[in-house]
Amino acid sequence: MFQRIQHWFDSLRNRAVGIVVLFVVLITVIATLVGIFAGQREIESQTRAQLETDAAIIAENIDDKLEQRFRAVSSVAHSMTMDRESLLGRAQLMLNRQVALGGLFHRLYLMDENGKVAAAFPAAEDALGIDVSDRPYFKLTSQQLTTLISEPFLTRDENEPVVIVTAPVFDFKQRMIAILAGTIKLDEDSFLGQLGTVSIGKDGEVGVATRSGKVLAGSGASNKLEPLPPGNHAFDDARKGGEGVRIARATTGEKILVANRQLNSAPWFVGVSLPVNEAFAPIDRLVNVMFWVGLALIVLFVPLALHRFTRLLRPLDQLARQIPERALGELSGPVKVGGGREIQTLVGAFNEVMEERDRVKGDLEQQEVYYRALSERAPIGIVQTDVLGRVEFVNAAFEAIMGQPAQKLRNRHLAGGVYRDDRPEVMRTWRKVLREGGVSSKEYRLFDASANRVIWVSAMTSAIATPDRSLGTLTIINDITEQRAVEAELKAERNRATSILGVLQEGVILTDSAGVISYANGPAHAFLGQTETVSSLKLFDLMSVTIGDQPWTLDEFLQQPQVNSLDAVMTNVNETEFEVELTMLRLDRDEETDRLVFVLRDDSERRRQEAALTWEASHDSLTRLSNRRAFNARLSELLRQDVSRRNGSIVMLIDLDHFKPVNDNGGHLLGDEMLRQIATVLTHAVRQSDMAARLGGDEFGVILPACGLDRAEVIAESIRAGIEAITLEQEGALFSVTASIGVTDIVDSDSDYKSVVARADEGAYDAKGRGRNQVVVLSGQACPALS
């Protein structure tokens, strides 16, 4: 069966008919679906609006009835304002007069403030004296003191569903003395009884229920305050105060449209429902009509389409006979058939293709002759193979590469000329090009068996193919034996250079003019704080360089022809600092190929040694104070300053008293300890900008720039007292010294440090003459002879 259908569709005519029929079916189905969807939406919208309107009308009607009774009870209760005894004494008479009120209610009651029935209308002796204080409506009215509509309940005597409207009655002092109540039977025709006769469609229903879930009235309810059926989401929503229309399921499982409307006078709501099937019944009828109309169209259209397409496609049969005749040469002229414009276009295109084929065939024959001649004279080797890999053509250049004539190379397999180690890979590549097309470039070795030599070549292979089949391959071959030898030699030289750079302790980095790294040896990686390769990264993104407290960027280096052995501080991205000796060389400066070579040598040890030597040259190794050389140099520098800057500067000379007994009796070690403690006193007494120095033996000096004589005298006294307080003990013996201190200031006439030192020394000598352990101040202004 399937094969018959497939054979039937092999005909272009039958395919066209099938497509048209399918098109008609699709249009019919789409139109039907669109009509159903649009109609369903419209009918649903209309139904929803109608149900909402019905629910609103019913709710408004019930609200009006409740509001009328609410106002009536409130008005009558207000008119009963009097004292309690008068009201209760006339209670029955007053109720009997409420004829109008009696027409609105099933029964009227007047209860005192304690809940006992004082009067009833119509009169009922059995109702008098009944206590209703336990009733919720009585409790709620007594608490809120306002007119209320109670929850529905069943009466005790008649077992009828009712609601009661209660209103408090006040005396002239606004104290509640009674409650007026009127009961309404829910099933009365004047109230909710008529809802059972309301018709909503064929199977629609109307109902009224409380938010507490009790059914009050409806076309499908027994009106005995039965609970709402569970599982109806529309009713659940209405119980929460919701309104509107939604689809829900009835207790039977049938889908229904439910419209809910809340009442204003009581916590009740009106529900109007209609089965979905009934609402959408017109759509179902429309579907049936459109189905039969579509089926009728198909039955009528198929024979007509077959007949028409048979006539339209008849020229194609003629074309199918003439095309093979023209291709085989049996028909010398162009193809000629009748038919419409499309068929004529096809005939014209075929005739043009045949003419183009004849022209191209002639051109190809001419191009083949030209190609052969060009290939013979090409300076690079050319090899053509068939689909089996047999050599069909080689030019003179390839003969020269192989050192063999064309007669020996033709008809040999391509693999025969390839070196044995490279043969498998070359043949895999050749087969891939033959199978998939494209171009493959590869370097491999050929082997000249006659001369027993290996030839390195660069080969580019391309497939020769027509649109329907492969004809072979064409390979262009260039001898690169000498080039490979030169490259191998260069590679060896490069490896040697890399090895040498690798064993150097200096970091060597090669960058272009933009600072992009092309090479870095192992020590350079350590300087840069990198374990991975840094090639292609920017050098100055990995480090910063400071020379003479000034940062140097790549631009500063590019402005120099070269940089030789500069002392620099290099900081890498890990915030590690190196003191380095930096050298920068330029290669091909002012050219596009400009290259920069940075050489980094770790210079921290040398600088540390130089700093240590510099410190030792200017400090006393025992006390770690400055020595005489540094003292004189500092004083000379101070004297070279402007007079305004050096004025107020002080020089102090300290000569120890009785130091020799310490050395002689305690030993040199004890004397050294005494000198170290005295140095500590000096260090603590002077400022950071001052200088304390050991000038030799037991003599010390202090320079106090911009201090003034008064302040200097105070400092000298503190030094004297500190030295006097030093006491050393050795083997039960106590050792101490004192100091004689001379203090002088630097004046305008001082031009040589010797005169200042001599003046301070004179003060120290004078202190010893006065009994030692004293401070003597000699002003430069007062001692011109010493100046």
Side-chain angles (χ1 to χ4, degrees):
M1 181 66 180
F2 177 76
Q3 291 181 349
R4 290 182 179 180
I5 295 174
Q6 186 177 15
H7 178 71
W8 190 83
F9 274 107
D10 287 341
S11 169
L12 184 60
R13 178 196 63 183
N14 296 342
R15 288 184 186 180
V17 172
I19 290 172
V20 172
V21 171
L22 179 62
F23 184 70
V24 172
V25 171
L26 286 176
I27 290 177
T28 304
V29 171
I30 292 172
T32 302
L33 293 177
V34 170
I36 292 172
F37 179 77
Q40 187 174 4
R41 293 292 297 272
E42 181 62 27
I43 290 176
E44 181 179 351
S45 175
Q46 293 178 2
T47 304
R48 284 175 178 268
Q50 183 61 46
L51 292 179
E52 282 187 320
T53 301
D54 293 343
I57 292 172
I58 295 171
E60 185 176 355
N61 180 264
I62 296 174
D63 268 331
D64 289 343
K65 293 177 179 179
L66 286 173
E67 184 66 24
Q68 181 184 13
R69 288 162 173 77
F70 186 91
R71 287 196 301 268
V73 170
S74 298
S75 176
V76 172
H78 182 71
S79 66
M80 291 182 176
T81 301
M82 59 187 67
D83 58 76
R84 181 178 184 278
E85 289 73 14
S86 299
L87 175 65
L88 296 180
R90 302 169 57 195
Q92 188 62 50
L93 178 62
M94 294 181 70
L95 285 188
N96 292 339
R97 292 177 179 177
Q98 301 300 326
V99 178
L101 195 64
L104 297 176
F105 292 94
H106 173 63
R107 180 166 291 179
L108 295 175
Y109 297 94
L110 185 67
M111 297 157 278
D112 64 15
E113 74 275 18
N114 296 318
K116 291 185 178 181
V117 177
F121 179 80
E125 294 295 334
D126 56 345
L128 298 178
I130 295 177
D131 187 359
V132 296
S133 61
D134 61 332
R135 289 287 190 169
Y137 61 81
F138 180 83
K139 293 180 180 180
L140 195 60
T141 305
S142 300
Q143 292 172 0
Q144 297 187 8
L145 299 178
T146 185
T147 305
L148 297 174
I149 299 175
S150 73
E151 276 286 312
F153 61 92
L154 295 176
T155 58
R156 293 175 178 175
D157 51 353
E158 299 175 323
N159 195 31
E160 291 290 337
V162 299
V163 293
I164 187 166
V165 181
T166 59
V169 180
F170 301 97
D171 61 9
F172 294 109
K173 295 182 179 181
Q174 294 301 311
R175 291 178 299 186
M176 190 187 81
I177 57 176
I179 292 177
L180 178 64
T183 59
I184 308 171
K185 291 181 66 175
L186 296 179
D187 55 1
E188 285 184 354
D189 291 342
S190 62
F191 193 54
L192 301 181
Q194 293 181 347
L195 291 182
T197 63
V198 175
S199 175
I200 304 296
K202 180 181 177 182
D203 297 319
E205 295 182 353
V206 179
V208 181
T210 67
R211 292 186 190 175
S212 60
K214 296 179 180 178
V215 177
L216 303 181
S219 53
S222 61
N223 300 335
K224 293 296 183 180
L225 303 184
E226 63 184 20
L228 282 168
N232 191 313
H233 300 301
F235 293 159
D236 294 341
D237 184 56
R239 290 181 62 185
K240 297 176 183 178
E243 292 184 328
V245 182
R246 63 182 296 176
I247 295 179
R249 286 194 180 275
T251 54
T252 60
E254 181 183 21
K255 283 187 176 182
I256 57 175
L257 277 171
V258 181
N260 293 317
R261 186 62 177 258
Q262 301 290 332
L263 266 66
N264 297 323
S265 303
W268 304 349
F269 64 91
V270 174
V272 179
S273 64
L274 184 67
V276 171
N277 291 337
E278 182 178 343
F280 296 156
I283 296 299
D284 296 335
R285 292 192 293 272
L286 176 62
V287 171
N288 291 330
V289 171
M290 295 192 73
F291 171 77
W292 290 110
V293 169
L295 184 61
L297 286 175
I298 293 172
V299 171
L300 293 174
F301 189 78
V302 169
L304 180 62
L306 283 173
H307 177 266
R308 184 59 183 165
F309 277 110
T310 300
R311 294 191 59 186
L312 288 174
L313 297 178
R314 187 170 297 155
L316 290 179
D317 295 333
Q318 300 173 2
L319 184 61
R321 289 193 301 270
Q322 293 186 28
I323 285 177
E325 295 174 356
R326 178 68 178 84
L328 296 174
E330 297 175 359
L331 180 63
S332 58
V335 172
K336 294 180 181 180
V337 295
R341 184 175 60 219
E342 292 80 3
I343 295 178
Q344 293 301 318
T345 301
L346 178 62
V347 170
F350 176 76
N351 289 330
E352 289 179 2
V353 168
M354 294 303 296
E355 292 174 1
E356 182 66 17
R357 188 193 71 165
D358 294 339
R359 186 183 62 79
V360 169
K361 184 177 179 181
D363 291 343
L364 287 176
E365 292 174 351
Q366 294 178 3
Q367 289 177 8
E368 184 176 0
V369 174
Y370 173 75
Y371 163 74
R372 293 286 181 176
L374 183 62
S375 299
E376 289 292 343
R377 294 172 176 79
I380 57 177
I382 298 176
V383 181
Q384 179 185 340
T385 68
D386 61 13
V387 292
L388 299 177
R390 293 174 300 193
V391 177
E392 292 183 337
F393 169 80
V394 296
N395 68 345
F398 186 72
E399 293 180 44
I401 292 173
M402 294 299 296
Q404 298 181 38
Q407 290 78 5
K408 288 188 176 182
L409 296 173
R410 290 195 189 103
N411 296 322
R412 289 175 54 186
H413 197 278
L414 176 66
V418 180
Y419 187 66
R420 61 179 180 274
D421 292 345
D422 297 342
R423 193 173 298 161
E425 180 62 26
V426 170
M427 292 310 299
R428 276 196 297 271
T429 303
W430 180 84
R431 293 190 187 96
K432 182 177 179 181
V433 170
L434 189 67
R435 182 177 62 253
E436 301 177 4
V439 178
S440 171
S441 297
K442 198 170 186 64
E443 293 183 0
Y444 54 86
R445 291 167 289 183
L446 300 178
F447 183 68
D448 181 4
S450 61
N452 194 27
R453 66 187 180 97
V454 175
I455 308 157
W456 272 100
V457 296
S458 172
M460 184 170 65
T461 302
S462 175
I464 303 173
T466 63
D468 56 347
R469 66 190 183 98
S470 178
L471 303 177
T473 62
L474 181 68
T475 304
I476 298 174
I477 295 177
N478 189 23
D479 188 348
I480 60 170
T481 304
E482 293 184 7
Q483 178 183 338
R484 292 276 299 194
V486 172
E487 289 178 353
E489 193 172 329
L490 289 175
K491 184 177 180 181
E493 291 295 333
R494 189 183 303 113
N495 291 337
R496 281 194 292 272
T498 302
S499 299
I500 293 171
L501 292 174
V503 299
L504 291 177
Q505 294 184 353
E506 291 80 2
V508 180
I509 304 170
L510 177 64
T511 75
D512 60 13
S513 58
V516 178
I517 301 172
S518 58
Y519 172 79
N521 65 353
H525 281 77
F527 278 117
L528 297 175
Q530 302 294 314
T531 56
E532 303 292 336
T533 179
V534 294
S535 296
S536 301
L537 300 179
K538 287 191 174 183
L539 175 61
F540 284 88
D541 288 345
L542 301 176
M543 73 171 191
S544 60
V545 175
T546 303
I547 299 175
D549 296 330
Q550 294 295 323
W552 275 43
T553 63
L554 178 63
D555 292 336
E556 277 75 24
F557 283 102
L558 290 175
Q559 293 172 7
Q560 310 296 323
Q562 68 179 38
V563 175
N564 293 320
S565 303
L566 282 181
D567 290 341
V569 175
M570 191 215 81
T571 306
N572 62 27
V573 292
N574 299 327
E575 302 297 330
T576 304
E577 286 189 356
F578 294 94
E579 294 179 335
V580 297
E581 180 184 278
L582 190 148
T583 298
M584 186 272 293
L585 304 176
R586 302 280 296 271
L587 307 178
D588 300 327
R589 188 183 180 198
D590 300 328
E591 300 289 340
E592 292 183 358
T593 58
D594 188 11
R595 293 291 185 269
L596 284 73
V597 179
F598 293 88
V599 181
L600 304 174
R601 182 195 298 273
D602 191 344
D603 202 33
S604 56
E605 181 62 24
R606 180 185 66 81
R607 296 188 194 180
R608 187 189 64 77
Q609 292 176 357
E610 287 183 355
L613 292 174
T614 301
W615 189 90
E616 290 174 359
S618 60
H619 287 76
D620 176 57
S621 60
L622 176 63
T623 61
R624 305 189 71 80
L625 298 176
S626 298
N627 58 18
R628 181 180 290 275
R629 180 185 302 168
F631 182 86
N632 292 338
R634 177 71 179 277
L635 186 54
S636 297
E637 179 185 355
L638 192 62
L639 289 170
R640 286 194 296 270
Q641 293 179 354
D642 295 338
V643 173
S644 60
R645 294 181 60 191
R646 73 186 190 184
N647 281 348
S649 298
I650 304 299
V651 175
M652 186 186 304
L653 288 183
I654 305 167
D655 197 357
L656 299 182
D657 306 322
H658 313 299
F659 180 70
K660 190 174 183 301
V662 176
N663 261 342
D664 293 345
N665 299 328
H668 288 290
L669 293 179
L670 185 65
D672 290 347
E673 179 60 25
M674 178 66 74
L675 293 175
R676 280 193 290 268
Q677 292 203 22
I678 292 170
T680 301
V681 171
L682 293 176
T683 302
H684 291 165
V686 300
R687 302 167 300 178
Q688 188 174 3
S689 59
D690 301 335
M691 172 184 274
R694 183 187 177 197
L695 304 181
D698 58 353
E699 187 178 8
F700 296 85
V702 177
I703 298 174
L704 305 171
C707 180
L709 277 174
D710 294 340
R711 175 61 180 161
E713 187 173 1
V714 174
I715 294 174
E717 281 294 337
S718 69
I719 292 173
R720 184 199 61 75
I723 293 173
E724 184 182 16
I726 297 173
T727 300
L728 300 180
E729 181 181 359
Q730 182 174 299
E731 297 179 359
L734 298 177
F735 297 88
S736 62
V737 296
T738 58
S740 297
I741 303 174
V743 180
T744 187
D745 56 346
I746 298 175
V747 296
D748 297 349
S749 58
D750 290 328
S751 60
D752 183 78
Y753 76 89
K754 294 180 180 180
S755 60
V756 181
V757 171
R759 195 163 57 244
D761 190 48
E762 178 66 22
Y765 184 78
D766 191 14
K768 284 186 177 289
R770 296 182 185 183
R772 295 182 174 84
N773 195 24
Q774 294 187 31
V775 175
V776 174
V777 178
L778 294 179
S779 172
Q781 301 292 342
C783 302
L786 291 175
S787 302

